[in-house]
């Protein structure tokens, strides 16, 4: 019985996290333009991202809107509920797109500094406003992606 209760509690938490991510995504992007770009009806996309509507966002459509906007926040939210963190790594980067090691490390320091500032700003708060929470999560995702790019660059760098 306890496992059923725990699973229902997990399901409700995962659904809330998904709903929050869809709502934040909808607020951040021009859905009319996006729907036209990926070739679906505008109201269909709007309804799929609205937690109060019965139409659900399908995985292929979720991937399409993520690719079209380069905003993977909905995918990241789903993976977080599985205790997985993902990082976007451009698959079509070539040597001219690669940053120097120094620039990537400095970018990492900048991101860490911004996270430290946010921690000081909200350190005493017991609850964060949703927009602040989403901003902090986006900053963390950016930092993770940057670290993965550092590793990728180092793995593909020529050795002396």
């Amino acid at each position: 019985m306890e496992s059923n209760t725990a699973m229902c509690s997990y399901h409700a938490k995962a659904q809330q996290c998904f709903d929050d991510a869809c709502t934040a995504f909808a607020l951040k992007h021009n859905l009319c333009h996006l729907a036209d770009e990926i070739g679906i009806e505008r109201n269909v996309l709007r309804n799929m991202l609205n937690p109060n509507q019965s139409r659900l966002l399908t995985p292929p459509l979720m991937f399409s809107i993520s690719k079209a906007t380069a905003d993977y926040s909905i995918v990241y939210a789903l993976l977080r509920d599985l205790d997985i963190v993902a990082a976007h790594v451009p698959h079509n980067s070539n040597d001219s797109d690669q940053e120097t090691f120094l620039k990537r490390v400095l970018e990492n320091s900048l991101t860490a500094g911004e996270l430290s500032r946010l921690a000081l700003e909200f350190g005493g708060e017991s609850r964060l406003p949703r927009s602040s929470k989403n901003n902090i999560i986006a900053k963390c995702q950016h930092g993770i992606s940057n670290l993965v790019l550092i590793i990728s660059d180092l793995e593909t760098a020529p050795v002396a």
Side-chain angles (χ1 to χ4, degrees):
M1 185 68 175
E2 286 182 29
S3 64
N4 286 345
T5 304
M7 188 54 75
C8 287
S9 173
Y10 171 77
H11 177 72
K13 180 183 172 287
Q15 185 66 51
Q16 184 62 47
C17 188
F18 177 72
D19 291 347
D20 290 348
C22 287
T23 301
F25 186 94
L27 291 172
K28 199 182 316 180
H29 299 284
N30 180 336
L31 298 184
C32 292
H33 174 71
L34 181 57
D36 293 343
E37 185 178 337
I38 62 174
I40 66 169
E41 302 261 346
R42 293 174 175 187
N43 63 329
V44 170
L45 180 60
R46 199 174 301 115
N47 288 344
M48 286 181 169
L49 292 169
N50 183 347
N52 297 321
Q53 296 291 324
S54 60
R55 183 168 279 211
L56 294 176
L57 186 63
T58 62
L61 189 57
M62 178 178 42
F63 294 154
S64 294
I65 64 174
S66 295
K67 280 282 198 185
T69 59
D71 179 349
Y72 302 93
S73 56
I74 297 173
V75 176
Y76 293 158
L78 290 172
L79 291 175
R80 266 195 315 275
D81 281 333
L82 293 173
D83 301 326
I84 297 171
V85 176
H88 175 253
V89 179
H91 72 285
N92 59 352
S93 62
N94 56 35
D95 291 338
S96 64
D97 291 338
Q98 287 187 347
E99 297 290 345
T100 64
F101 176 67
L102 178 61
K103 186 167 182 180
R104 289 225 197 270
V105 170
L106 289 174
E107 175 76 23
N108 187 60
S109 295
L110 179 64
T111 302
E114 290 174 7
L115 284 170
S116 297
R117 181 189 58 77
L118 291 168
L120 287 173
E121 185 177 328
F122 296 109
E125 303 290 328
S126 60
R127 296 180 63 99
L128 289 174
R130 183 174 298 166
S131 61
S132 299
K133 176 185 166 186
N134 291 336
N135 183 30
I136 293 169
I137 289 171
K139 186 60 61 184
C140 291
Q141 284 297 151
H142 176 74
I144 291 168
S145 293
N146 188 57
L147 288 170
V148 169
L149 287 171
I150 291 172
I151 293 168
S152 178
D153 288 350
L154 289 172
E155 287 176 342
T156 60
V159 224

